[in-house]
Amino acid sequence: AQQGLSTFRGPSPAGTLLIEDALKKIVYRDGSKSLRVEKQKGLVPKGTHSVFGDFPRDFMPISARGGAPLSARVGAASPRPDRAPSMLLARTQRPSTAPSCPPKAGATSRRPVLNSEFRRFYDRGDLPIQIHHGAVGGKIAWKVDIEKLDYHHYLPIFFDGLREKEDPYRFLSVQGTYDMLEKGGAKILPVVPQLIIPIKTALNTRDPEIIATMLKVLQSLVMSGELIGEALVPYYRQILPVFNIFKGRNLNIGDQIDYSQRKRRNIGDLVSETLEIMEMHGGDDAFINIKYMIPTYESCVLA
């Protein structure tokens, strides 16, 4: 099998994510932004205990099973039998004179990221890719020619892996997606309907990092071939609701300089760029459909 190495000038899109993770470890040395903390919060899947799967539940510590340890259960205070339950209830519940504040809508709060099909296929060894451990890094060694791949089978799997936040799944899915879009040509257009659910699932995580990655991939998808932008127009109602939520998320820094703009991590700018690319490549019906889902959008084509 021939091996093809992806070529990029400068850091590749997946390599940029690795560099950003290394910078995050330097800035947040207390580990508050680490992947381990996100796993403890339940925002990122923990994965299996070993390469052979999970340990049997009976052999796991009680704390790992999800139950309270024995010491906490034994030392728990029980109500005294000489006191009626009504007396305990009267002491614990006190009337509040101040009205409670309305709860937050949580439209932009992060959702838990579920396991992707890419993770399952990669753990089984069903994907024809491996990491190229070179001097520079950020490359994938393909075990077969990309042009010979079955795009109906592999491209939705790689798109489903774009919501991963743990390496090597994230690195391989992001870099593999760009490689397949670069070499796909006419094979991409028939697969567009199968990409909608992975795109929608990744955007609905409301994770800024995942949304930024997906927006950049959407721009490459629209510009990777003819008629792909028009093929996405019927699916705007599934894709654009999250765009409408994050369209106004910009940095308000006054007259200061945003030195990280070269990383293209500003969600508001990425949403505007993606919508403009969709309008320019989406045909005559693109603007009216975008305007229906995002009323504040202004056309970049119509005068």
Side-chain angles (χ1 to χ4, degrees):
Q2 295 181 0
Q3 291 186 352
L5 299 179
S6 57
T7 57
F8 280 89
R9 291 184 178 180
S12 61
T16 305
L17 295 175
L18 296 178
I19 296 173
E20 194 64 27
D21 283 350
L23 179 61
K24 191 182 297 183
K25 291 180 180 179
I26 297 174
V27 176
Y28 302 97
R29 295 187 178 182
D30 57 348
S32 58
K33 301 292 184 178
S34 63
L35 192 64
R36 182 177 181 180
V37 174
E38 294 187 353
K39 288 184 178 181
Q40 293 174 352
K41 294 179 180 179
L43 297 174
V44 179
K46 294 183 178 180
T48 57
H49 298 159
S50 68
V51 294
F52 304 104
D54 292 341
F55 292 105
R57 184 176 177 83
D58 297 336
F59 293 90
M60 293 170 56
I62 298 178
S63 58
R65 298 181 199 172
L70 184 61
S71 59
R73 289 183 290 173
V74 173
S78 58
R80 292 176 56 181
D82 56 343
R83 296 187 179 182
S86 59
M87 297 175 59
L88 297 175
L89 187 63
R91 289 192 175 186
T92 55
Q93 294 183 354
R94 296 181 180 179
S96 177
T97 56
S100 60
C101 298
K104 293 183 179 180
T108 59
S109 59
R110 292 174 54 184
R111 272 61 167 173
V113 180
L114 303 178
N115 280 328
S116 63
E117 289 293 310
F118 182 88
R119 179 187 290 244
R120 185 168 65 90
F121 275 81
Y122 180 76
D123 288 341
R124 277 194 328 200
D126 292 342
L127 298 178
I129 54 175
Q130 62 185 21
I131 300 177
H132 175 65
H133 297 280
V136 179
K139 294 183 179 180
I140 290 181
W142 290 86
K143 300 177 183 179
V144 296
D145 292 335
I146 303 179
E147 294 84 358
K148 297 180 181 179
L149 291 175
D150 183 7
Y151 272 59
H152 281 277
H153 176 68
Y154 285 108
L155 192 58
I157 294 175
F158 276 85
F159 263 75
D160 196 50
L162 293 176
R163 69 172 185 264
E164 290 284 352
K165 298 197 68 175
E166 186 176 5
D167 293 318
Y169 310 109
R170 182 187 63 175
F171 170 79
L172 291 172
S173 61
V174 172
Q175 194 60 46
T177 300
Y178 278 100
D179 292 350
M180 295 185 71
L181 293 179
E182 182 183 359
K183 303 289 184 62
K187 290 184 176 182
I188 302 175
L189 181 59
V191 195
V192 169
Q194 298 176 246
L195 306 178
I196 303 304
I197 293 180
I199 292 172
K200 180 182 177 181
T201 306
L203 293 176
N204 282 335
T205 59
R206 315 293 172 90
D207 189 303
E209 180 182 316
I210 298 177
I211 292 177
T213 301
M214 181 55 69
L215 291 175
K216 297 173 186 176
V217 170
L218 273 175
Q219 296 179 13
S220 299
L221 173 65
V222 173
M223 296 186 293
S224 60
E226 298 181 358
L227 303 178
I228 295 180
E230 298 182 16
L232 286 173
V233 174
Y235 305 101
Y236 280 177
R237 295 194 178 188
Q238 284 79 30
I239 299 176
L240 297 188
V242 180
F243 284 46
N244 191 25
I245 295 174
F246 289 92
K247 186 176 183 295
R249 175 167 288 194
N250 288 305
L251 292 177
N252 186 10
I253 56 177
D255 59 348
Q256 299 179 6
I257 299 176
D258 181 16
Y259 289 99
S260 64
Q261 61 183 345
R262 61 182 178 84
K263 300 178 183 178
R264 300 180 65 209
R265 298 178 57 200
N266 191 309
I267 302 296
D269 292 343
L270 285 174
V271 169
S272 300
E273 291 176 12
T274 308
L275 291 175
E276 291 175 0
I277 292 175
M278 285 181 170
E279 182 188 1
M280 288 187 292
H281 295 81
D284 298 334
D285 298 331
F287 172 69
I288 189 65
N289 284 275
I290 294 176
K291 189 71 174 179
Y292 179 79
M293 298 302 300
I294 306 177
T296 58
Y297 176 74
E298 297 294 338
S299 175
C300 65
V301 178
L302 301 176

